[in-house]
Amino acid sequence: MKIDELLEGVEVTKRTDKANEIVGITDDSRKVESGFLFAALKGEDFDGHDFYEEALNNGACVILLEREISQDIPYILVPNARKAFSRIASNYYENPSQKLKIIGVTGTNGKTTTSYLLSALFPNSVCFSTVKYMGISSNVKVVNTTPAALLLHREIAGAYKMGVETAILEVSSIGLDQSRVSDIDFDYAIFMNITRDHLDYHKSFENYRLAKAKFFKALRENKIALINADDPNAPYFIKNTNSKVVTFGFKRGNVIGQLLQNSGKGFNLKIEGLGRTLEVFSALVGSFNTWNVLAAVVVGILENLSDSEIKERIAAAPIPPGRLERVKSPEGVSVFVDYAHTPDALSSVISSLKEYNPLRIITVFGAGGHRDKGKRGLMGAVVSALSDVTIVTSDNPRDEDPDDIIDNIFEGIEPKKAIRLKDRKEAIFKALSIAEEGDFVLVAGKGHEDYQAIKGKKIPFSDKKCIMEFYNYERNRA
């Protein structure tokens, strides 16, 4: 590709290169080949500016930088390398997001489940989610909720060539802050909710909210911002977009939902608005999931899907792994794993389980290391207030001492009201061993994850497999 075409729309401060054609682009110096542009991006752990020599040795003909280097090398200097590389990636793949319908979902909670529902509503689609990437490349490993710009544009371009019509993206605050979706042409931007999260990265709730607002500020006037009107922050996001706005909720909105029936096998909703009235059934468990279903159905209505298409596809939608996922257990005891790792998410999940009138709720949870420390005591307070038995354990301690993390959690708990077991397997086994007929056991925090992050290593560990191991062990021993 001509470099002038590659740089279209990119703000360039200075150029020292004489490149004419670019044969490839990457931000990984190890993947550079002859004739490539290498983007020196600064991350949390590494700075691409430290690897420009390796990139040149591997054949790079130009380096994209955001700070000047004294050496006489071919480079393009830009104010923001991440933002520039996002545009370059879009240009390189011929702006593929303009050729498909793109639906983005943001929110502290509910992104994954809503994305799964949308994937069911639009079968000819690809989906980029926290749990997995459902698309054309089976070898794409999920690293971030919102993938890097290069991977996004590459995969969307590939999907378009294969005849895919829709791409569904979970849009995280960090992904927005790091310009991963700056050049994705969204048709829908869905706001689910916002509560405290990621303050280790954003430093304050206001910064977190500002990052989310970028999603709606960038939305073009002829696109649609779909806003959960029940969330207290809805007016803030409506104010921060120039696009069309459609609201939904159970208390207010252009589309109103009504919960007709709720059980451990799913729920029924009546949905009215935009000239339509229909009833849908979802096999999802938990009343907090009603907003996720409502949001997805509104998109279906706006896309003129028939009542039968919406009803059948929502009813058949798979339950995302680790999202209040029921794990097989002896009759009389209900066991769930869930990804909830914020005070609000834990409150929603446990409150939803209480609606089914269990004898007791036994909750196992922890908090991640090197993440927002301020939420740990809040999580402890919520879980201990809503659960009959609270077991505090380890959850991805990373480089922190697990005991210190647990100490932080106990700042919100009366010590006599909780059990402390640092070993996560031991904690889960303890919860299952004391569970009696009529009890619900919730293992929260990790959901679909199949590892424990400890001192720079990912140690294989799955809450679901741990639960299955406990019951297999008990049966075998008997």
Side-chain angles (χ1 to χ4, degrees), residues 414-425:
E414 289 184 36
K416 293 181 181 180
K417 290 190 174 181
I419 299 169
R420 178 182 183 130
L421 289 171
K422 181 170 64 175
D423 183 275
R424 192 170 181 91
K425 180 177 179 179

Side-chain angles (χ1 to χ4, degrees), residues 191-203:
F191 167 71
M192 299 304 301
N193 50 64
I194 185 167
T195 58
R196 179 179 182 140
D197 201 12
H198 300 303
L199 298 199
D200 53 297
Y201 180 92
H202 295 291
K203 307 307 179 188

Side-chain angles (χ1 to χ4, degrees), residues 260-279:
L260 300 176
Q261 176 270 339
N262 186 16
S263 75
K265 295 182 179 179
F267 52 77
N268 291 82
L269 297 181
K270 181 179 180 181
I271 298 170
E272 294 183 280
L274 304 177
R276 299 273 289 276
T277 300
L278 68 157
E279 292 184 15

Side-chain angles (χ1 to χ4, degrees), residues 196-424:
R196 179 179 182 140
D197 201 12
H198 300 303
L199 298 199
D200 53 297
Y201 180 92
H202 295 291
K203 307 307 179 188
S204 71
F205 180 79
E206 185 54 31
N207 287 343
Y208 177 43
R209 197 168 69 153
L210 283 167
K212 294 280 190 188
K214 289 181 180 180
F215 189 25
F216 299 92
K217 287 179 178 178
L219 202 60
R220 291 195 286 147
E221 291 183 5
N222 62 334
K223 307 300 185 177
I224 295 175
L226 187 56
I227 307 291
N228 175 9
D230 290 339
D231 188 276
N233 286 278
Y236 173 84
F237 291 98
I238 292 171
K239 181 180 70 177
N240 276 287
T241 187
N242 292 317
S243 69
K244 299 176 184 177
V245 174
V246 176
T247 57
F248 66 94
F250 288 83
K251 298 175 182 176
R252 60 188 68 86
N254 301 122
V255 182
I256 299 290
Q258 180 185 354
L259 181 59
L260 300 176
Q261 176 270 339
N262 186 16
S263 75
K265 295 182 179 179
F267 52 77
N268 291 82
L269 297 181
K270 181 179 180 181
I271 298 170
E272 294 183 280
L274 304 177
R276 299 273 289 276
T277 300
L278 68 157
E279 292 184 15
V280 297
F281 168 78
S282 170
L284 292 170
V285 176
S287 56
F288 63 92
N289 275 313
T290 57
W291 279 271
N292 303 328
V293 172
L294 182 56
V297 170
V298 175
V299 177
I301 291 172
L302 289 167
E303 286 298 303
N304 295 313
L305 296 184
S306 68
D307 286 6
S308 61
E309 287 173 322
I310 293 173
K311 290 179 180 181
E312 291 169 8
R313 293 172 187 178
I314 290 294
I319 297 173
R323 269 51 179 186
L324 207 53
E325 180 183 2
R326 188 188 292 269
V327 183
K328 187 178 180 181
S329 57
E331 189 171 345
V333 178
S334 297
V335 183
F336 302 87
V337 295
D338 192 82
Y339 191 54
H341 56 274
T342 67
D344 183 71
L346 286 163
S347 177
S348 295
V349 170
I350 300 172
S351 296
S352 289
L353 290 178
K354 289 174 79 73
E355 294 171 1
Y356 306 126
N357 299 313
L359 185 65
R360 295 183 301 172
I361 292 182
I362 303 168
T363 303
V364 181
F365 81 108
H370 294 298
R371 297 296 185 264
D372 178 15
K373 293 184 179 181
K375 73 179 182 181
R376 294 172 182 173
L378 299 173
M379 292 165 65
V382 165
V383 174
S384 62
L386 294 174
S387 304
D388 298 284
V389 180
T390 299
I391 302 177
V392 184
T393 189
S394 182
D395 176 349
N396 292 340
R398 299 181 177 87
D399 290 325
E400 275 196 77
D401 185 335
D403 283 314
D404 291 343
I405 299 172
I406 294 172
D407 285 344
N408 293 153
I409 293 172
F410 265 89
E411 291 173 6
I413 304 174
E414 289 184 36
K416 293 181 181 180
K417 290 190 174 181
I419 299 169
R420 178 182 183 130
L421 289 171
K422 181 170 64 175
D423 183 275
R424 192 170 181 91

Side-chain angles (χ1 to χ4, degrees), residues 332-334 359-360 362 431-441:
V333 178
S334 297
L359 185 65
R360 295 183 301 172
I362 303 168
L432 299 173
S433 68
I434 64 175
E436 300 174 352
E437 186 174 351
D439 288 344
F440 281 12
V441 177

